Amino acid sequence: NTTQTLSVDKLAKSAYATGGKLALSGTASSTAITSSTTMADLGLTADGTLKLTIGGSSSDTLSVNVATTDTISGVMSKINSAKSSSTSAGVTANFDASNGRIYLSSQTAGTAAGFAISGDSSSTVLSALGLGSSVSYIAGQNGQITLNGAAYTSTNNSYTVNGLTITATAEASDITLTTKNDTSGIYNS
């Protein structure tokens, strides 16, 4: 039987980007934006590439070709099925028609799953998708606990330390753990 001290310093989180409000251009400006709206209607003047650099490594990129004829729904499908070049990391993309915004989140938590958004310099793909300068980004982070004064990190909020499994669900401090040896499987025959 032992008593241990634990604090959950921070939870592992996925990276998350909220795009700027989409806007129609030209003759399409009087219609509502839906998942069927084309990239040309959003101002994409030439086919381009959306690039997501994963984990800060320029050698690990997720690239999606975006055509002027693609719909918002089609671009979301392309992003959702794409994998990065080195780690096969993915990003989940969603379009919320009621708010007129695109949302991106890393499919796994942790610092290494974070992403940076870029596009072709000759293309208007970022502005058409609302992912240019108006994007709001929250970085992914690793979780961290401190058990008996020693720090441990995790990308999924689960920790195994010396046979003890801890799943963190909220940040907290000054937690006292009491552990006992499991003797229920030991018996005299």
Side-chain angles (χ1 to χ4, degrees), residues 12-38:
K13 296 178 183 176
S14 297
Y16 195 85
T18 301
K21 192 159 179 70
L22 300 181
L24 293 166
S25 67
T27 59
S29 63
S30 62
T31 60
I33 297 176
T34 69
S35 61
S36 299
T37 300
T38 68

mmCIF file of all heavy atoms in Angstrom, residues 12-38:
data_model
loop_
_atom_site.group_PDB
_atom_site.id
_atom_site.type_symbol
_atom_site.label_atom_id
_atom_site.label_comp_id
_atom_site.label_asym_id
_atom_site.label_seq_id
_atom_site.Cartn_x
_atom_site.Cartn_y
_atom_site.Cartn_z
ATOM 1 N N ALA A 12 -3.718 16.856 -23.096
ATOM 2 C CA ALA A 12 -3.346 16.820 -24.506
ATOM 3 C C ALA A 12 -4.530 17.333 -25.321
ATOM 4 O O ALA A 12 -5.688 17.027 -25.016
ATOM 5 C CB ALA A 12 -2.993 15.401 -24.924
ATOM 6 N N LYS A 13 -4.233 18.149 -26.326
ATOM 7 C CA LYS A 13 -5.280 18.733 -27.163
ATOM 8 C C LYS A 13 -4.883 18.646 -28.622
ATOM 9 O O LYS A 13 -3.702 18.690 -28.959
ATOM 10 C CB LYS A 13 -5.504 20.206 -26.802
ATOM 11 C CG LYS A 13 -6.018 20.424 -25.398
ATOM 12 C CD LYS A 13 -6.176 21.900 -25.102
ATOM 13 C CE LYS A 13 -6.627 22.107 -23.657
ATOM 14 N NZ LYS A 13 -6.691 23.515 -23.307
ATOM 15 N N SER A 14 -5.886 18.576 -29.477
ATOM 16 C CA SER A 14 -5.670 18.624 -30.924
ATOM 17 C C SER A 14 -5.537 20.068 -31.366
ATOM 18 O O SER A 14 -6.125 20.964 -30.772
ATOM 19 C CB SER A 14 -6.863 17.995 -31.653
ATOM 20 O OG SER A 14 -6.986 16.640 -31.311
ATOM 21 N N ALA A 15 -4.781 20.276 -32.446
ATOM 22 C CA ALA A 15 -4.712 21.603 -33.057
ATOM 23 C C ALA A 15 -6.057 21.887 -33.716
ATOM 24 O O ALA A 15 -6.729 20.974 -34.198
ATOM 25 C CB ALA A 15 -3.597 21.649 -34.093
ATOM 26 N N TYR A 16 -6.463 23.155 -33.744
ATOM 27 C CA TYR A 16 -7.781 23.524 -34.251
ATOM 28 C C TYR A 16 -7.714 24.885 -34.938
ATOM 29 O O TYR A 16 -7.129 25.818 -34.403
ATOM 30 C CB TYR A 16 -8.777 23.582 -33.082
ATOM 31 C CG TYR A 16 -10.217 23.610 -33.505
ATOM 32 C CD1 TYR A 16 -10.884 22.423 -33.771
ATOM 33 C CD2 TYR A 16 -10.899 24.806 -33.629
ATOM 34 C CE1 TYR A 16 -12.220 22.446 -34.166
ATOM 35 C CE2 TYR A 16 -12.233 24.826 -34.020
ATOM 36 C CZ TYR A 16 -12.886 23.630 -34.279
ATOM 37 O OH TYR A 16 -14.201 23.642 -34.671
ATOM 38 N N ALA A 17 -8.296 24.954 -36.119
ATOM 39 C CA ALA A 17 -8.328 26.223 -36.851
ATOM 40 C C ALA A 17 -9.767 26.568 -37.210
ATOM 41 O O ALA A 17 -10.515 25.722 -37.701
ATOM 42 C CB ALA A 17 -7.493 26.134 -38.116
ATOM 43 N N THR A 18 -10.143 27.799 -36.948
ATOM 44 C CA THR A 18 -11.450 28.330 -37.341
ATOM 45 C C THR A 18 -11.203 29.323 -38.463
ATOM 46 O O THR A 18 -10.519 30.327 -38.278
ATOM 47 C CB THR A 18 -12.134 29.047 -36.159
ATOM 48 O OG1 THR A 18 -12.295 28.115 -35.087
ATOM 49 C CG2 THR A 18 -13.491 29.603 -36.574
ATOM 50 N N GLY A 19 -11.752 29.010 -39.629
ATOM 51 C CA GLY A 19 -11.570 29.884 -40.778
ATOM 52 C C GLY A 19 -12.400 31.148 -40.657
ATOM 53 O O GLY A 19 -13.361 31.216 -39.891
ATOM 54 N N GLY A 20 -12.027 32.143 -41.436
ATOM 55 C CA GLY A 20 -12.809 33.380 -41.501
ATOM 56 C C GLY A 20 -14.124 33.122 -42.228
ATOM 57 O O GLY A 20 -14.296 32.107 -42.905
ATOM 58 N N LYS A 21 -15.045 34.024 -42.062
ATOM 59 C CA LYS A 21 -16.354 33.897 -42.703
ATOM 60 C C LYS A 21 -16.176 33.934 -44.223
ATOM 61 O O LYS A 21 -15.532 34.812 -44.766
ATOM 62 C CB LYS A 21 -17.285 35.016 -42.247
ATOM 63 C CG LYS A 21 -18.724 34.792 -42.629
ATOM 64 C CD LYS A 21 -19.621 35.628 -41.737
ATOM 65 C CE LYS A 21 -21.076 35.456 -42.087
ATOM 66 N NZ LYS A 21 -21.599 34.148 -41.743
ATOM 67 N N LEU A 22 -16.746 32.926 -44.894
ATOM 68 C CA LEU A 22 -16.643 32.842 -46.349
ATOM 69 C C LEU A 22 -17.503 33.917 -46.997
ATOM 70 O O LEU A 22 -18.551 34.295 -46.470
ATOM 71 C CB LEU A 22 -17.090 31.463 -46.846
ATOM 72 C CG LEU A 22 -16.293 30.259 -46.324
ATOM 73 C CD1 LEU A 22 -16.826 28.971 -46.925
ATOM 74 C CD2 LEU A 22 -14.821 30.416 -46.608
ATOM 75 N N ALA A 23 -17.044 34.393 -48.149
ATOM 76 C CA ALA A 23 -17.777 35.428 -48.874
ATOM 77 C C ALA A 23 -17.863 35.051 -50.344
ATOM 78 O O ALA A 23 -16.898 34.555 -50.925
ATOM 79 C CB ALA A 23 -17.075 36.770 -48.726
ATOM 80 N N LEU A 24 -19.022 35.276 -50.910
ATOM 81 C CA LEU A 24 -19.228 35.032 -52.336
ATOM 82 C C LEU A 24 -18.666 36.195 -53.133
ATOM 83 O O LEU A 24 -18.588 37.319 -52.652
ATOM 84 C CB LEU A 24 -20.716 34.857 -52.625
ATOM 85 C CG LEU A 24 -21.343 33.593 -52.010
ATOM 86 C CD1 LEU A 24 -22.855 33.676 -52.050
ATOM 87 C CD2 LEU A 24 -20.861 32.349 -52.722
ATOM 88 N N SER A 25 -18.293 35.911 -54.372
ATOM 89 C CA SER A 25 -17.754 36.978 -55.213
ATOM 90 C C SER A 25 -18.573 37.115 -56.492
ATOM 91 O O SER A 25 -19.298 36.198 -56.878
ATOM 92 C CB SER A 25 -16.292 36.689 -55.571
ATOM 93 O OG SER A 25 -16.225 35.545 -56.406
ATOM 94 N N GLY A 26 -18.464 38.249 -57.111
ATOM 95 C CA GLY A 26 -19.085 38.483 -58.410
ATOM 96 C C GLY A 26 -20.580 38.275 -58.433
ATOM 97 O O GLY A 26 -21.300 38.671 -57.520
ATOM 98 N N THR A 27 -21.059 37.614 -59.480
ATOM 99 C CA THR A 27 -22.499 37.426 -59.690
ATOM 100 C C THR A 27 -23.127 36.487 -58.662
ATOM 101 O O THR A 27 -24.336 36.467 -58.508
ATOM 102 C CB THR A 27 -22.778 36.879 -61.101
ATOM 103 O OG1 THR A 27 -22.083 35.638 -61.250
ATOM 104 C CG2 THR A 27 -22.333 37.860 -62.167
ATOM 105 N N ALA A 28 -22.312 35.698 -57.980
ATOM 106 C CA ALA A 28 -22.849 34.754 -56.993
ATOM 107 C C ALA A 28 -23.142 35.421 -55.657
ATOM 108 O O ALA A 28 -23.705 34.795 -54.763
ATOM 109 C CB ALA A 28 -21.858 33.614 -56.786
ATOM 110 N N SER A 29 -22.799 36.682 -55.495
ATOM 111 C CA SER A 29 -22.862 37.333 -54.190
ATOM 112 C C SER A 29 -24.268 37.454 -53.611
ATOM 113 O O SER A 29 -24.418 37.750 -52.438
ATOM 114 C CB SER A 29 -22.195 38.710 -54.246
ATOM 115 O OG SER A 29 -22.896 39.543 -55.136
ATOM 116 N N SER A 30 -25.302 37.208 -54.402
ATOM 117 C CA SER A 30 -26.662 37.332 -53.871
ATOM 118 C C SER A 30 -27.238 36.005 -53.403
ATOM 119 O O SER A 30 -28.354 35.962 -52.898
ATOM 120 C CB SER A 30 -27.584 37.940 -54.941
ATOM 121 O OG SER A 30 -27.632 37.072 -56.063
ATOM 122 N N THR A 31 -26.501 34.909 -53.526
ATOM 123 C CA THR A 31 -27.005 33.600 -53.102
ATOM 124 C C THR A 31 -26.377 33.201 -51.767
ATOM 125 O O THR A 31 -25.354 33.739 -51.361
ATOM 126 C CB THR A 31 -26.700 32.526 -54.161
ATOM 127 O OG1 THR A 31 -25.288 32.458 -54.341
ATOM 128 C CG2 THR A 31 -27.374 32.839 -55.487
ATOM 129 N N ALA A 32 -26.994 32.227 -51.129
ATOM 130 C CA ALA A 32 -26.472 31.734 -49.844
ATOM 131 C C ALA A 32 -25.309 30.775 -50.088
ATOM 132 O O ALA A 32 -25.264 30.065 -51.096
ATOM 133 C CB ALA A 32 -27.577 31.030 -49.075
ATOM 134 N N ILE A 33 -24.386 30.748 -49.152
ATOM 135 C CA ILE A 33 -23.268 29.813 -49.241
ATOM 136 C C ILE A 33 -23.719 28.489 -48.649
ATOM 137 O O ILE A 33 -24.190 28.432 -47.503
ATOM 138 C CB ILE A 33 -22.033 30.350 -48.486
ATOM 139 C CG1 ILE A 33 -21.552 31.651 -49.119
ATOM 140 C CG2 ILE A 33 -20.920 29.301 -48.486
ATOM 141 C CD1 ILE A 33 -20.402 32.312 -48.384
ATOM 142 N N THR A 34 -23.582 27.419 -49.449
ATOM 143 C CA THR A 34 -23.935 26.066 -49.011
ATOM 144 C C THR A 34 -22.764 25.145 -49.305
ATOM 145 O O THR A 34 -21.772 25.557 -49.924
ATOM 146 C CB THR A 34 -25.183 25.547 -49.750
ATOM 147 O OG1 THR A 34 -24.840 25.327 -51.134
ATOM 148 C CG2 THR A 34 -26.358 26.513 -49.646
ATOM 149 N N SER A 35 -22.892 23.894 -48.940
ATOM 150 C CA SER A 35 -21.828 22.932 -49.229
ATOM 151 C C SER A 35 -21.672 22.696 -50.730
ATOM 152 O O SER A 35 -20.658 22.171 -51.173
ATOM 153 C CB SER A 35 -22.091 21.615 -48.493
ATOM 154 O OG SER A 35 -23.309 21.050 -48.931
ATOM 155 N N SER A 36 -22.660 23.113 -51.531
ATOM 156 C CA SER A 36 -22.603 22.976 -52.993
ATOM 157 C C SER A 36 -21.991 24.194 -53.684
ATOM 158 O O SER A 36 -21.811 24.187 -54.904
ATOM 159 C CB SER A 36 -24.010 22.741 -53.551
ATOM 160 O OG SER A 36 -24.536 21.550 -53.026
ATOM 161 N N THR A 37 -21.676 25.223 -52.944
ATOM 162 C CA THR A 37 -21.055 26.423 -53.513
ATOM 163 C C THR A 37 -19.688 26.047 -54.075
ATOM 164 O O THR A 37 -18.931 25.309 -53.441
ATOM 165 C CB THR A 37 -20.908 27.515 -52.430
ATOM 166 O OG1 THR A 37 -22.203 27.846 -51.934
ATOM 167 C CG2 THR A 37 -20.239 28.762 -52.976
ATOM 168 N N THR A 38 -19.364 26.554 -55.267
ATOM 169 C CA THR A 38 -18.072 26.223 -55.872
ATOM 170 C C THR A 38 -16.985 27.176 -55.395
ATOM 171 O O THR A 38 -17.257 28.268 -54.900
ATOM 172 C CB THR A 38 -18.137 26.293 -57.420
ATOM 173 O OG1 THR A 38 -18.320 27.658 -57.806
ATOM 174 C CG2 THR A 38 -19.233 25.396 -57.971
#
